[in-house]
């Protein structure tokens, strides 16, 4: 970044995973300040800390109280922002670490997946006016009754982009452990190609289908408020991926990425009497419990009975099965079956809109690898298949190859 500006940066868990790494981030931030930029730095908890905190609470109970769990989880980010500010100050620069509530991040009251309603930027602006680097704890906010809330796993991305929007920052840089957004997870697909640019629309699909490189809500903010977002590595100086509005030339790309998601489970309710109101009876208790249902398949009925299959997050699997067993009895269905060892593999691309044949190549590729498809769903710019979890990596690599997404340079190496 050459010109002076207001920069919001976010460093993920791995980027601040040790004291040594925190020091390196501090040095990087100071360099930008020396060039005359103003810096707001959003940090995640040190790698593994959020999981460790959740695990501690699970030693007390399988179902920790959501309010208290948020108070607990929010401490991870408090540790990293304070250490970062201590590092900056020890290097002779001024810095102030603040938590979500001090940064004016107001959310609704849904613990564990709160949504940002508005951001009061007064405090952050005041600190910037004092020429301080402002370190903001990611992933957390405060509801209207002053309760601490968290934004859902991966939510520090959202803190950063939402802050960048509220502050009208010149850029929001998301620093992570890979060099940008790739045509597939570079950690399992060595030939994955770094995308120089990706449209909001495609990034939304990738994020919603499981590519955790950006939290989906951060992309929603970026799109809505037109925040320039640059995803890049905290370990190199290389340019990463710009997340931008859709451009004409992008339409040439048929498929831009392969993505997988191992976080869902499948439930089936068998021999459901096929009559009006049944879908409502089945899904109403599930929706009322706040469970997000993803893919749904209902077969054509034979002699008035049918099977209904859908997917839910693994974390909601037990509760969903319990709710469905109650409904099954009530409506006279046969039984409730479940499978947690599944994965969803998807291909995404804005160019798919006008091309037939993409789905058939996907099915052919999976069949050549002897991978059985148990559910399919399609939209204008994506096709998803549910397969057995153990074939995830194989499927991602095969599809990546079949759609010609490999980085030629890397392939030659
Ligand atoms: P952070 O802690 O920095 O927020 P995350 O672990 O949340 O990092 O997200 C980065 C990870 O996302 C990468 O390490 C990579 O394994 C994964 N990932 C999945 N799909 C993609 C993709 N298409 N491009 C880049 N990274 C991806
Ligand atoms: N620390 C939180 C998590 O692990 C938020 C984040 O990293 O973005 O989910
Ligand atoms: Mg993340």
């Amino acid at each position: 970044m050459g010109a002076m500006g207001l920069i919001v940066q976010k460093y993920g868990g791995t980027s601040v995973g040790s004291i040594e790494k925190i020091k390196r981030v501090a040095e990087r931030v100071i360099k930008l300040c020396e060039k005359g930029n103003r810096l707001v730095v959003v940090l995640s908890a040190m790698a593994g800390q959020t999981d460790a905190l959740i695990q501690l609470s699970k030693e007390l109970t399988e179902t920790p109280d959501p309010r208290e769990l948020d108070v607990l989880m929010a401490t991870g980010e408090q540790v990293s922002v304070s250490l970062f500010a201590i590092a900056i100050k020890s290097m002779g620069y001024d810095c102030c670490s603040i938590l979500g509530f001090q940064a004016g991040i107001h959310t609704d009251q849904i613990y564990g997946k709160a949504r940002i309603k508005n951001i009061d930027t007064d405090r952050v602006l005041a600190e910037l006016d004092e020429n301080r680097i402002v370190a903001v704890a990611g992933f957390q906010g405060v509801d209207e009754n002053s309760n601490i809330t968290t934004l859902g796993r991966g939510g520090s991305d959202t803190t950063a982009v939402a802050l960048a929007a509220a502050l009208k920052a010149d850029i929001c840089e998301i620093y992570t452990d890979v060099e940008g957004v790739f045509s597939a997870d570079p950690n399992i697909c060595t030939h994955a190609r770094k995308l120089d640019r990706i449209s909001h629309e495609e990034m939304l699909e990738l994020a919603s289908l499981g590519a955790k490189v950006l939290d989906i809500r951060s992309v929603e903010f970026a799109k809505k408020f037109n925040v320039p977002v640059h995803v890049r590595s905290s370990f190199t100086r290389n340019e990463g991926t710009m997340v931008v509005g859709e451009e004409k030339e992008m339409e040439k790309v048929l498929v831009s990425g392969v993505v997988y998601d191992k976080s869902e489970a499948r439930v089936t309710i068998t021999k459901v009497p096929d009559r009006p109101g049944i879908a409502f009876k089945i899904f109403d208790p599930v929706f009322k419990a706040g469970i997000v249902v993803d893919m749904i398949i209902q077969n054509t009925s034979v002699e008035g009975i049918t099977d209904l299959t859908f997917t839910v997050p693994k974390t909601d699997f037990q509760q969903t099965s319990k709710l469905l067993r109650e409904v099954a009895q009530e409506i006279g269905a046969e039984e409730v079956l479940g499978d947690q060892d599944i994965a969803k593999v998807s291909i995404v691309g804005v160019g798919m809109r006008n091309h037939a044949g993409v789905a058939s190549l996907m099915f052919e590729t999976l069949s050549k690898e002897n991978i059985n498809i148990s559910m399919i769903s399609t939209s204008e710019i994506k096709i998803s298949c549910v397969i057995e979890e153990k074939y995830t990596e194989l499927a991602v690599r095969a599809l990546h190859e079949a759609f010609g997404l490999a980085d030629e340079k890397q392939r030659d190496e």
Side-chain angles (χ1 to χ4, degrees):
M1 183 113 196
M4 292 187 301
L6 173 57
I7 306 174
V8 175
Q9 297 189 329
K10 176 257 171 176
Y11 291 88
T14 344
S15 309
V16 293
S18 65
I19 292 295
E20 207 36 57
K21 286 183 176 158
I22 291 178
K23 260 197 221 163
R24 249 179 273 151
V25 170
E27 284 160 5
R28 195 169 190 141
V29 168
I30 285 172
K31 276 214 183 93
L32 277 170
C33 284
E34 283 173 340
K35 288 187 184 151
N37 297 293
R38 294 183 299 156
L39 264 292
V40 175
V41 183
V42 175
L43 299 183
S44 290
M46 295 169 80
Q49 283 309 303
T50 311
D51 288 331
L53 291 166
I54 296 172
Q55 201 43 47
L56 277 180
S57 73
K58 294 252 162 123
E59 285 178 27
L60 292 164
T61 164
E62 247 317 292
T63 49
D65 179 83
R67 179 190 184 279
E68 307 312 330
L69 187 59
D70 273 9
V71 176
L72 178 66
M73 285 196 290
T75 62
E77 271 69 13
Q78 182 161 357
V79 170
S80 44
V81 279
S82 52
L83 287 173
F84 171 80
I86 289 169
I88 295 269
K89 285 177 165 168
S90 74
M91 294 170 186
Y93 289 79
D94 205 2
C95 179
C96 175
S97 65
I98 56 177
L99 302 181
F101 77 92
Q102 295 166 306
I105 312 232
H106 297 284
T107 72
D108 63 19
Q109 293 172 303
I110 308 184
Y111 297 118
K113 41 185 161 189
R115 286 190 160 266
I116 297 176
K117 291 203 299 195
N118 66 292
I119 299 186
D120 176 354
T121 52
D122 289 357
R123 174 71 186 267
V124 173
L125 289 172
E127 298 294 344
L128 287 171
D129 282 347
E130 296 293 324
N131 287 322
R132 293 190 181 113
I133 294 161
V134 191
V136 181
F139 175 58
Q140 54 177 265
V142 63
D143 76 4
E144 58 186 15
N145 298 316
S146 309
N147 295 301
I148 288 173
T149 54
T150 65
L151 310 179
R153 299 304 304 269
S156 297
D157 297 335
T158 303
T159 306
V161 180
L163 257 177
L167 293 165
K168 300 193 171 57
D170 295 293
I171 188 139
C172 182
E173 297 180 324
I174 305 286
Y175 284 91
T176 183
D177 57 1
V178 289
E179 297 234 328
V181 181
F182 284 70
S183 51
D185 184 344
N187 286 323
I188 66 164
C189 195
T190 43
H191 293 148
R193 186 167 38 92
K194 188 178 80 190
L195 309 172
D196 294 331
R197 307 157 84 75
I198 187 166
S199 71
H200 291 131
E201 223 178 345
E202 281 174 303
M203 196 59 236
L204 281 172
E205 286 287 348
L206 288 182
S208 75
L209 294 169
K212 63 179 179 159
V213 61
L214 273 184
D215 184 24
I216 185 161
R217 290 194 201 160
S218 70
V219 190
E220 286 166 3
F221 272 103
K223 186 176 178 190
K224 187 164 174 194
F225 297 101
N226 234 335
V227 183
V229 171
H230 187 183
V231 182
R232 57 194 308 191
S233 166
S234 61
F235 307 125
T236 70
R237 297 262 157 206
N238 300 341
E239 290 284 306
T241 302
M242 286 303 302
V243 186
V244 297
E246 199 172 318
E247 295 165 353
K248 276 225 158 60
E249 64 190 78
M250 287 181 147
E251 307 231 1
K252 288 187 199 126
V253 186
L254 189 61
V255 169
S256 54
V258 181
V259 47
Y260 66 94
D261 186 353
K262 297 182 180 180
S263 73
E264 292 181 7
R266 182 178 59 212
V267 283
T268 299
I269 174 161
T270 63
K271 302 221 171 120
V272 177
D274 192 13
R275 53 170 193 260
I278 284 289
F280 173 70
K281 273 224 163 77
I282 291 173
F283 288 113
D284 192 45
V286 178
F287 293 149
K288 283 208 173 108
I291 295 167
V292 180
V293 173
D294 180 21
M295 294 163 94
I296 303 177
I297 290 184
Q298 186 187 332
N299 292 332
T300 317
S301 66
V302 179
E303 291 170 6
I305 51 171
T306 180
D307 292 348
L308 192 98
T309 302
F310 58 95
T311 61
V312 292
K314 278 193 177 126
T315 45
D316 293 323
F317 175 71
Q318 300 296 355
Q319 199 189 353
T320 309
S321 305
K322 185 167 166 273
L323 289 169
L324 282 192
R325 280 194 293 272
E326 289 161 16
V327 176
Q329 261 205 329
E330 195 186 314
I331 61 177
E334 189 180 57
E335 60 176 338
V336 177
L337 306 172
D339 188 353
Q340 299 205 63
D341 299 324
I342 60 156
K344 183 171 69 176
V345 199
S346 313
I347 55 174
V348 176
V350 285
M352 244 187 245
R353 275 187 195 129
N354 313 312
H355 287 80
V358 174
S360 82
L361 180 56
M362 181 173 196
F363 304 153
E364 185 191 358
T365 306
L366 294 176
S367 89
K368 273 191 187 150
E369 300 293 339
N370 252 327
I371 300 172
N372 189 42
I373 303 170
S374 64
M375 298 174 86
I376 298 168
S377 87
T378 63
S379 80
E380 258 198 322
I381 67 166
K382 72 116 206 281
I383 305 172
S384 303
C385 294
V386 170
I387 60 169
E388 274 185 76
E389 183 173 345
K390 63 180 178 197
Y391 296 126
T392 314
E393 284 76 13
L394 176 64
V396 170
R397 290 187 198 120
L399 291 168
H400 194 265
E401 187 70 32
F403 283 97
L405 299 175
D407 186 334
E408 292 303 326
K409 278 180 295 194
Q410 286 189 32
R411 199 206 291 268
D412 294 342
E413 278 164 14

